[in-house]
Amino acid sequence: PMGSERTEMRKRQMSTTQETPSAAQAQLSTGNRGSNACCFCWCCCCSCSCLTVRNQEEERARRTSHELQAEGIPNCEESPAPTLEEVNAWAQSFDKLMLTPAGRNAFREFLRTEFSEENMLFWMACEELKQESNKSVIEEKARLIYEDYISILSPKEVSLDSRVREVINRNMLEPSQHTFDDAQLQIYTLMHRDSYPRFMNSAIYKDLLQSLSEKSIEA
C-alpha cells in the first residue's frame, strides 16, 4: 500500500510539473498582450477601436489631400515660357523667383525631387485662400488646408513650430483669409533659407539657364 501511495504521489508531482510551464506560458502570453495593448483599450488585436479610428483619420487625410490637389491646385501653374532675363533675375532674389508662375513652377519641380513639394503647395493654397471673400468658402478651404498641411495625420504635413500651431488653432475657431498668415511666412522663410540656395545650384536651374542662353545666342 505504501508503494502504491508513493507511486500515486509521484504521478501527481509529474503532472503538476508538466502543467506549470503551460500555466507560465499562458501567463507570459497574457503579459505580452497587456504590453501591446493600445492606449484606449486592453485588447491586443490590431482591429481595436482606437487603431480603427486612427486608420480612418489617416485615410481621410490622404483623401482630402488628393481632393484638394485635384480641385484647387494643378500640377503646375499656367504660364508662358520664361525668358533669359527672368531666369537670370531668379538668381538675384528668392522674391523675384516666387513672383512669377514660371519661377514657381521651376522651383516646385526642384522641391519635388527633394520630397518637399508640400511647402510650395501650402504656400499656394494660402495665396488662393486670401483671394476668397465668401465666408462659407473661406471656412471650407481653411478646413481643407488644415487637414492637408497642418494636421499631424497628414502625409503632407509642413514643418511648423509650436507657437505658430497654437496661433492656427486659435484662428480656426473663426477662419478667415488670414488664418494661416504666420504659418505661410514661416514656410516661405524655410524655402528661402533652406531650399532656394540648393535650387540655384541644381541641374534643373542650370539646364534651363543654359538652354535659354543657347537660344539667345542662336537668335
Side-chain angles (χ1 to χ4, degrees):
M2 289 291 293
S4 299
E5 288 180 2
R6 288 177 180 173
T7 302
E8 187 64 29
M9 288 177 63
R10 190 176 292 114
K11 285 182 180 180
R12 288 176 184 171
Q13 289 175 350
M14 292 178 63
S15 175
T16 303
T17 304
Q18 289 174 353
E19 287 175 3
T20 300
S22 299
Q25 187 173 2
Q27 221 173 26
L28 180 60
S29 176
T30 303
N32 287 341
R33 283 205 302 270
S35 64
N36 289 333
C38 62
C39 51
F40 297 123
C41 55
W42 289 104
C43 65
C44 65
C45 60
C46 60
S47 60
C48 65
S49 60
C50 64
L51 290 181
T52 301
V53 170
R54 189 182 305 163
N55 290 337
Q56 288 173 348
E57 288 291 331
E58 289 176 352
E59 178 59 30
R60 186 163 66 90
R62 293 191 190 96
R63 186 169 61 250
T64 300
S65 173
H66 294 314
E67 287 172 356
L68 182 60
Q69 183 170 354
E71 293 175 6
I73 301 177
N75 287 330
C76 63
E77 296 179 79
E78 292 184 6
S79 70
T83 64
L84 179 60
E85 290 74 21
E86 284 179 327
V87 175
N88 277 321
W90 298 349
Q92 296 173 15
S93 74
F94 183 61
D95 292 338
K96 290 184 177 180
L97 169 70
M98 292 290 283
L99 278 174
T100 65
R104 292 192 294 270
N105 283 336
F107 187 52
R108 183 175 167 185
E109 181 183 350
F110 168 74
L111 291 178
R112 194 177 294 126
T113 66
E114 292 200 333
F115 305 100
S116 58
E117 185 186 12
E118 66 274 4
N119 290 331
M120 177 65 82
L121 293 176
F122 172 68
W123 185 88
M124 291 170 62
C126 292
E127 287 296 293
E128 184 179 321
L129 179 64
K130 290 177 181 177
Q131 307 304 315
E132 295 293 343
S133 57
N134 184 287
K135 189 174 185 296
S136 60
V137 174
I138 288 172
E139 290 177 351
E140 176 65 12
K141 287 194 173 183
R143 181 184 65 80
L144 290 175
I145 290 173
Y146 186 93
E147 291 181 356
D148 212 33
Y149 302 108
I150 310 301
S151 171
I152 60 174
L153 296 175
S154 173
K156 288 187 177 181
E157 178 195 3
V158 295
S159 178
L160 299 170
D161 62 36
S162 58
R163 180 193 65 83
V164 171
R165 286 185 175 276
E166 289 176 5
V167 170
I168 291 174
N169 289 333
R170 289 197 301 269
N171 290 343
M172 285 299 291
L173 297 175
E174 290 186 30
S176 72
Q177 300 100 317
H178 304 289
T179 292
F180 303 101
D181 281 4
D182 286 353
Q184 186 185 20
L185 177 60
Q186 190 168 93
I187 293 303
Y188 189 90
T189 303
L190 175 66
M191 291 191 293
H192 183 190
R193 293 178 178 175
D194 186 56
S195 303
Y196 173 63
R198 291 197 298 275
F199 168 71
M200 297 312 303
N201 290 314
S202 70
I204 291 175
Y205 177 75
K206 290 180 177 179
D207 289 349
L208 178 60
L209 183 62
Q210 182 179 352
S211 174
L212 293 173
S213 298
E214 291 173 353
K215 287 181 180 178
S216 177
I217 293 173
E218 291 175 359

